[in-house]
Amino acid sequence: MMAWDEPAAARLRRRQLLLWAGGLAALPVFDRALAAEDSASPGAAARAVPPVDWTDDPFFGAGFVDTDEWRDTQVRHRFVHGGFRDTDTRFSIWFPEPAAWRGRFAQFLQGGLGGSEFRGQQSGASLIAFENGAYFLESNQGHVGNDMKGLKGEGDVLSWRASAQSARFARRLATEMYGRPPAFGYVFGGSGGGMRSIDCIEAAPAIWQGAVPFMINRNGLTSFNWSVAAWASMVLAGKLEAIARAADAGGDGPYSVVETDEERLALDRLYAAGFPRGAEDQLGPNPLWILGMQLAFATDPAYIVAFWRQPGYAGHDREPAVERMLIETELTVKALRTGDEVGAAASAAEDLTGAVTRMSGPGTAGLVLDTERPAMDFLGASLEIVSGKAKGRRLLCTGGVGESITAFLDPVGFEGVEPGDRIAIANRALIAFLYLHRHAVDPRYPGMAAYFEAGQAIYPQRPIDFDAQVVPKGRFQGKMIHLQHTHDREAWPTSALPYIADVNAHFGQATRDNYRIWWIENAAHLPPSASQRTEYVSYQGAYAQGLRDVIAWVEEGRAPPVSTGYSLADGVQVQLADDAKDRGGIQPLVTIGVGGRTRAEARVGEAVRIEAEAVVPPGAGTLVRMAFDLDGSGAFATPVRDLEGAPIRHRAGLTHSFERPGTHMVTVMAWAQREGDARAELRLVPNLARLRVDVR
């Protein structure tokens, strides 16, 4: 561990607190906030403790309304939009007609860093609120888009205070409209919104009595996890597709593909850190690495210098992998691509960059360079324009969409760049991030154990204070149903384990009276795209059911289905119970096979008998749909038609012959619904299983 003076340590701790609360786009704002704090006199007054009840928070100016009208979209409702003066906090509220309101509200928290007061409505969360007789509330959580100035350096404005003040204002409007205030409040959200849902119920129990966080990511573990995945992805770059195929159902396993000691070590380190087995097809370049990179470097600006200049770091020591990964070149711009063109290419390719940024418009959003390298190879690289009208501009490459590189984090971006301009490209910062997981570890986290020998860190350590992390404590009033996904590359299953442990430590034997953890098998971070529908399941129905159940738990004392039964392999790999009764939770357990095996061989035209079974855990409803996908299209065009009586357990079989040689993946999906309503659209909870058939 490096030694540093106490004032520097205090500054670092404050920096970490702010960064983990705020994030990428907030860095300049937080730097200014820290500078102001460092220059303040020692006797400066401490910040007032924010209110945790229905009392107005003095951080926010007077509330205002700029839209108040009745609308008929989704269901008839009164739509109110507004905000708070002297802040960037904005909110939208959807009030159902008085006859449809049942005395409660449901507040959705957008994931990531927030920034929009409309994302929940766009994703259908408002329908979930209306189904439960609640008015729907959403805020931008204190800031507009990626501009964090509205937080004024106070990270808890983002984590819960903007949400609380929005709830207070909505309560006053609800009282005027319905003649009484809401008796109960609920908060739900995923990813960053999931973490902040926990912040809300822990900080302000008078406002929220129930919470449904899903796919949470433990603050402080994010950079470590993403660094391990990024490094392994780069080491295994030429074999990622083969690894994904080998890791799929009936495959020979990922280790059957790797050949070198370095490749085997990459898999070892990846799984030992907690990357979920079965999610290997999600490895590869990920634009979110940039967020991890920026957070890490802003927390510890000296790290990148140390990585390239000090012994014990792979950059200084010039490890062979570093030499292979390093890009330092100068290229010419061949062509420009507009936002509309980049957005269309992203949509066609189901590209995460395009999905996140929703690129559009006539301005230049992408550059085509004179190189044979894929554009995504430049993810995380610095771009310096060295000729033309934009000479001297420095940008960060946010990846590639099709043949174009992008730089969407900079508001100016590629404006003024023309074909023929030269660009200097270097990815030294990204490479430093790839190895960060070696140099910022804590023995308390099982996923970091591989980086210690005899209790001592193997590599030089950075001055990272893990106890400075802003993390929930597992101490809340009310009820919580927490959903975590088993195949999530952004919020690994291990990200939830510390919070689960904190809850158990706080409540002890009373945990079952206050908290549920439902693991959602075969769910990734984003809903499955068209090409992923045979591999991953949608999770909206699960958190919709979670909201319904937490309402009944709070208001009627009716306990929801038990937590999912699971164990930990090697302390980090979540393994769900094999039997539906032992598994619990709300998701059906689904299996498929030929003769009890998940791999079969057949000749072209030979009949293959495929058997599948789905079982719903106790209290989770009944099966309402079941279907096979035989061609990998995701259409599930072969439904099971004998599900009469809404069974809890069902076995289905079919005989099929394959007319083309090669490997065919067959998928069966089953949907459970609490009331056994086969026509339901909300609260459908799916799961799937896959079978490999090698046809010769």
Side-chain angles (χ1 to χ4, degrees):
M1 180 72 72
M2 293 181 60
W4 69 99
D5 62 283
E6 192 60 31
R11 286 194 297 272
L12 177 64
R13 183 180 179 87
R14 289 196 303 273
R15 181 183 293 269
Q16 288 175 249
L17 286 167
L18 289 168
L19 289 171
W20 277 316
L24 174 61
L27 302 184
V29 177
F30 288 157
D31 282 342
R32 288 196 294 273
L34 290 169
E37 183 178 355
D38 290 340
S39 63
S41 65
R47 188 185 66 150
V49 176
V52 297
D53 55 14
W54 293 109
T55 305
D56 281 331
D57 188 330
F59 176 90
F60 302 89
F64 66 86
V65 171
D66 53 29
T67 304
D68 189 341
E69 61 191 22
W70 283 92
R71 296 180 176 179
D72 293 312
T73 53
Q74 296 185 346
V75 299
R76 182 162 174 76
H77 65 278
R78 175 189 171 196
F79 174 79
V80 177
H81 180 274
F84 300 99
R85 302 195 186 283
D86 304 319
T87 75
D88 286 347
T89 300
R90 300 292 181 266
F91 54 75
S92 63
I93 316 168
W94 298 47
F95 292 110
E97 293 182 298
W101 187 59
R102 290 181 239 159
R104 61 180 72 103
F105 74 91
Q107 186 164 358
F108 178 81
L109 271 58
Q110 177 191 354
L113 299 174
S116 170
E117 64 272 32
F118 302 108
R119 192 58 54 82
Q121 175 268 325
Q122 294 166 354
S123 66
S126 50
L127 283 173
I128 297 170
F130 290 153
E131 188 205 24
N132 288 288
Y135 66 77
F136 178 74
L137 167 63
E138 183 174 12
S139 81
N140 63 0
Q141 301 174 68
H143 63 96
V144 178
N146 288 328
D147 185 352
M148 297 287 182
K149 292 193 299 292
L151 303 181
K152 302 178 183 178
E154 298 192 24
D156 55 0
V157 171
L158 167 62
S159 61
W160 68 273
R161 289 169 63 192
S163 298
Q165 189 66 9
S166 298
R168 296 181 183 108
F169 190 86
R171 184 176 191 258
R172 286 193 283 272
L173 295 184
T175 303
E176 294 171 0
M177 178 174 174
Y178 299 122
R180 59 190 172 101
F184 301 98
Y186 303 92
V187 60
F188 64 113
S191 192
M195 288 299 295
R196 293 188 293 276
S197 295
I198 296 174
D199 289 331
C200 285
I201 194 172
E202 289 196 1
I207 297 175
W208 299 284
Q209 290 75 52
V212 183
F214 51 100
M215 55 185 185
I216 69 171
N217 209 341
R218 174 79 166 196
N219 295 349
L221 290 183
T222 303
S223 291
F224 173 83
N225 290 348
W226 291 356
S227 172
V228 174
W231 169 76
S233 294
M234 295 288 273
V235 170
L236 300 167
K239 296 184 176 177
L240 290 178
E241 290 187 13
I243 287 171
R245 288 194 298 270
D248 205 347
D252 294 326
Y255 284 94
S256 68
V257 174
V258 298
E259 299 172 306
T260 68
D261 290 343
E262 182 184 46
E263 291 170 345
R264 280 185 284 273
L265 180 65
L267 286 178
D268 287 345
R269 291 289 186 263
L270 186 69
Y271 296 135
F275 185 85
R277 287 181 178 269
E280 290 84 358
D281 65 316
Q282 299 178 53
L283 291 171
N286 181 352
L288 291 179
W289 294 351
I290 296 172
L291 176 58
M293 182 174 75
Q294 294 280 37
L295 289 175
F297 296 165
T299 303
D300 181 13
Y303 166 68
I304 189 170
V305 176
F307 179 81
W308 290 103
R309 295 184 181 177
Q310 293 183 13
Y313 294 83
H316 171 275
D317 298 345
R318 290 291 181 174
E319 292 187 9
V322 171
E323 296 294 332
R324 294 196 307 271
M325 298 172 187
L326 184 63
I327 297 175
E328 289 183 308
T329 187
E330 190 172 299
L331 298 173
T332 301
V333 177
K334 286 175 55 179
L336 312 180
R337 295 289 183 263
T338 67
D340 289 335
E341 291 171 327
V342 172
S347 297
E350 299 177 344
D351 181 82
L352 176 62
T353 303
V356 170
T357 61
R358 289 175 170 77
M359 293 181 182
S360 62
T364 300
L367 303 180
V368 181
L369 305 177
D370 64 336
T371 178
E372 297 299 318
R373 297 189 75 137
M376 190 57 89
D377 280 5
F378 300 109
L379 170 69
S382 63
L383 309 174
E384 182 180 0
I385 302 168
V386 295
S387 69
K389 296 178 182 178
K391 181 179 179 180
R393 186 180 306 159
R394 294 175 180 268
L395 303 167
L396 181 65
C397 181
T398 51
V401 178
E403 59 181 354
S404 306
I405 63 168
T406 60
F408 62 75
L409 291 179
D410 190 285
V412 177
F414 296 133
E415 181 180 336
V417 177
E418 298 176 346
D421 289 353
R422 299 284 289 173
I423 299 182
I425 304 175
N427 69 344
R428 283 178 170 261
L430 176 68
I431 291 176
F433 173 69
L434 300 183
Y435 288 87
L436 176 68
H437 59 276
R438 292 182 175 182
H439 306 288
V441 294
D442 187 311
R444 292 174 294 181
Y445 294 96
M448 300 179 180
Y451 301 94
F452 291 88
E453 287 183 355
Q456 298 297 314
I458 298 171
Y459 300 100
Q461 291 300 293
R462 305 304 303 164
I464 301 299
D465 182 0
F466 279 79
D467 291 326
Q469 301 165 23
V470 180
V471 295
K473 305 301 182 185
R475 302 170 185 173
F476 57 88
Q477 300 176 36
K479 310 295 184 184
M480 183 185 300
I481 297 178
H482 168 193
L483 289 75
Q484 197 73 16
H485 303 172
T486 62
H487 288 65
D488 191 333
R489 74 168 180 180
E490 272 75 51
W492 298 7
T494 51
S495 300
L497 299 180
Y499 188 72
I500 296 171
D502 289 343
V503 170
N504 286 323
H506 174 66
F507 285 105
Q509 292 295 321
T511 298
R512 70 186 66 181
D513 299 324
N514 298 277
Y515 174 81
R516 293 288 187 271
I517 171 65
W518 289 344
W519 291 97
I520 306 302
E521 189 177 28
N522 296 311
H525 201 73
L526 296 176
S529 63
S531 64
Q532 295 175 319
R533 289 174 186 161
T534 62
E535 301 174 72
Y536 299 105
V537 299
S538 171
Y539 49 81
Q540 186 183 51
Y543 74 72
Q545 185 62 57
L547 183 62
R548 170 67 64 94
D549 282 345
V550 86
I551 289 171
W553 204 5
V554 168
E555 299 180 21
E556 304 171 24
R558 180 152 40 95
V562 299
S563 291
T564 307
Y566 70 99
S567 60
L568 293 175
D570 302 320
V572 292
Q573 290 291 332
V574 171
Q575 295 183 337
L576 305 187
D578 292 332
D579 180 84
K581 183 178 179 181
D582 295 333
R583 178 172 294 195
I586 62 169
Q587 197 181 22
L589 190 157
V590 183
T591 57
I592 189 173
V594 172
R597 300 171 64 87
T598 58
R599 182 171 184 169
E601 295 183 355
R603 294 183 298 275
V604 171
E606 179 183 356
V608 178
R609 182 64 181 174
I610 301 170
E611 301 285 348
E613 183 179 51
V615 187
V616 181
T622 61
L623 294 168
V624 294
R625 300 180 194 173
M626 193 171 178
F628 291 91
D629 184 280
L630 301 170
D631 58 7
S633 67
F636 289 92
T638 307
V640 174
R641 302 190 182 279
D642 55 346
L643 280 174
E644 296 179 1
I648 293 174
R649 177 189 297 266
H650 188 77
R651 293 178 179 175
L654 60 80
T655 301
H656 184 73
S657 59
F658 298 89
E659 303 306 322
R660 292 180 295 104
T663 297
H664 298 259
M665 299 303 298
V666 177
T667 307
V668 63
M669 187 174 291
W671 292 261
Q673 209 276 338
R674 184 64 57 84
E675 292 79 30
D677 184 357
R679 295 172 297 178
E681 295 298 330
L682 294 175
R683 296 185 292 111
L684 287 171
V685 182
N687 201 359
L688 60 79
R690 286 164 63 81
L691 163 72
R692 175 185 178 123
V693 182
D694 293 321
V695 180
R696 60 187 187 279

